[in-house]
């Protein structure tokens, strides 16, 4: 399977600040990247889908101005949580898929805690 | 849209026993069904997947079966070991196109007791 990294693995920030999370596909070109969030003991909730060089497609109920996604290259996508609030505290996980591929591989996740 | 139901939500077995997790889906056009294992504090790991042109797929102690008519698929783990303890998610999607999305079940917490 594909190797996907995320950085940082965990972050604590103050309310009102912005946090950037990086997702890298280490061993193949990820045409499509996905961002999920997961609350404790719950399933994965898709936030947005991004294709390299295009604007991200956000799921219903996800604020695009709050969760900024940039998919600038075939190996890097970033998620920026702007003006973070305690309710944004969650586990954020990216996922990648190759062009023409079906299988989807996940990163190790980033734990965000907003105080 | 697609809806995936997963059962049971928790499953406890003795080491060496078999474990079975079942999922049903609603979209008859779905043709790709992966299973993920998620350990505490980690991202989901793809452990096996099946496409609708086959009815069963096996990889060592793990197997997945698919019944397209009934729209259900199952994960079978044989000779369970304590390291199999984790949350398992099933998912379903259509394939083709750049923006098809996985729909996940709610997960099954599997505990393998030594």
């Amino acid at each position: 399977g594909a190797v996907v990294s995320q950085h940082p693995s965990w972050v604590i920030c103050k309310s009102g600040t912005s946090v950037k999370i990086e997702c890298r596909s280490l061993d193949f070109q990820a045409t499509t990247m996905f961002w999920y969030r997961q609350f404790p003991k719950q399933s994965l909730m898709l936030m947005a889908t991004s294709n390299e060089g295009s604007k991200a497609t956000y799921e219903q109920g996800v604020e695009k101005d709050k969760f900024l996604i940039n998919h600038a290259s075939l190996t890097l996508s970033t998620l920026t949580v702007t003006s973070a609030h305690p309710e944004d505290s969650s586990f954020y996980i990216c996922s990648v898929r190759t062009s023409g591929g079906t299988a989807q591989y996940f990163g190790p996740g980033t734990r965000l805690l907003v105080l | 849209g697609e809806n995936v139901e997963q059962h049971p939500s928790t499953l406890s077995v003795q080491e060496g026993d078999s474990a079975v997790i079942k999922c049903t889906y609603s979209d008859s056009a779905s043709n790709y069904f992966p299973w993920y294992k998620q350990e505490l504090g980690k991202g989901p790991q793809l452990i096996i997947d099946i496409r609708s042109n086959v009815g069963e797929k096996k990889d060592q102690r793990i197997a997945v079966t698919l019944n397209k008519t009934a729209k259900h698929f199952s994960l079978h783990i044989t000779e369970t070991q304590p390291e199999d303890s984790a949350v398992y998610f099933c998912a379903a999607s259509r394939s083709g196109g750049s923006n098809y999305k996985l729909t996940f079940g709610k997960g099954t917490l599997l505990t393998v007791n030594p």
Side-chain angles (χ1 to χ4, degrees), chain A residues 28-42:
Chain A
F28 75 94
Q29 294 182 328
T31 309
T32 306
M33 286 186 167
F34 306 85
W35 285 96
Y36 293 80
R37 66 189 296 182
Q38 185 179 35
F39 292 107
K41 297 186 178 181
Q42 292 190 20

Side-chain angles (χ1 to χ4, degrees), chain B residues 7-54:
Chain B
H7 298 281
S9 56
T10 61
L11 178 59
S12 181
V13 300
Q14 288 299 121
E15 182 177 1
D17 288 349
S18 295
V20 181
I21 303 171
K22 299 181 179 181
C23 289
T24 61
Y25 61 99
S26 61
D27 185 355
S28 57
S30 288
N31 56 9
Y32 176 64
F33 309 92
W35 285 89
Y36 290 88
K37 174 184 180 182
Q38 186 177 28
E39 297 177 345
L40 191 62
K42 298 184 179 180
Q45 175 193 2
L46 178 64
I47 57 173
I48 196 167
D49 57 11
I50 192 168
R51 288 164 176 77
S52 59
N53 57 345
V54 297

Side-chain angles (χ1 to χ4, degrees), chain B:
Chain B
E2 176 66 280
N3 181 52
V4 176
E5 299 283 340
Q6 183 172 346
H7 298 281
S9 56
T10 61
L11 178 59
S12 181
V13 300
Q14 288 299 121
E15 182 177 1
D17 288 349
S18 295
V20 181
I21 303 171
K22 299 181 179 181
C23 289
T24 61
Y25 61 99
S26 61
D27 185 355
S28 57
S30 288
N31 56 9
Y32 176 64
F33 309 92
W35 285 89
Y36 290 88
K37 174 184 180 182
Q38 186 177 28
E39 297 177 345
L40 191 62
K42 298 184 179 180
Q45 175 193 2
L46 178 64
I47 57 173
I48 196 167
D49 57 11
I50 192 168
R51 288 164 176 77
S52 59
N53 57 345
V54 297
E56 183 174 359
K57 184 177 179 181
K58 191 173 182 180
D59 182 3
Q60 299 183 338
R61 297 187 296 108
I62 294 173
V64 57
T65 59
L66 171 65
N67 183 326
K68 280 207 70 178
T69 302
K71 289 191 282 189
H72 66 70
F73 56 111
S74 301
L75 177 70
H76 303 253
I77 306 174
T78 58
E79 301 173 24
T80 54
Q81 302 167 2
E83 48 267 39
D84 294 329
S85 297
V87 178
Y88 290 81
F89 291 98
C90 64
S93 78
R94 304 182 183 190
S95 60
S98 60
N99 285 332
Y100 71 85
K101 301 179 291 188
L102 289 175
T103 299
F104 286 88
K106 292 188 175 182
T108 296
L109 174 61
L110 173 64
T111 302
V112 180
N113 301 301

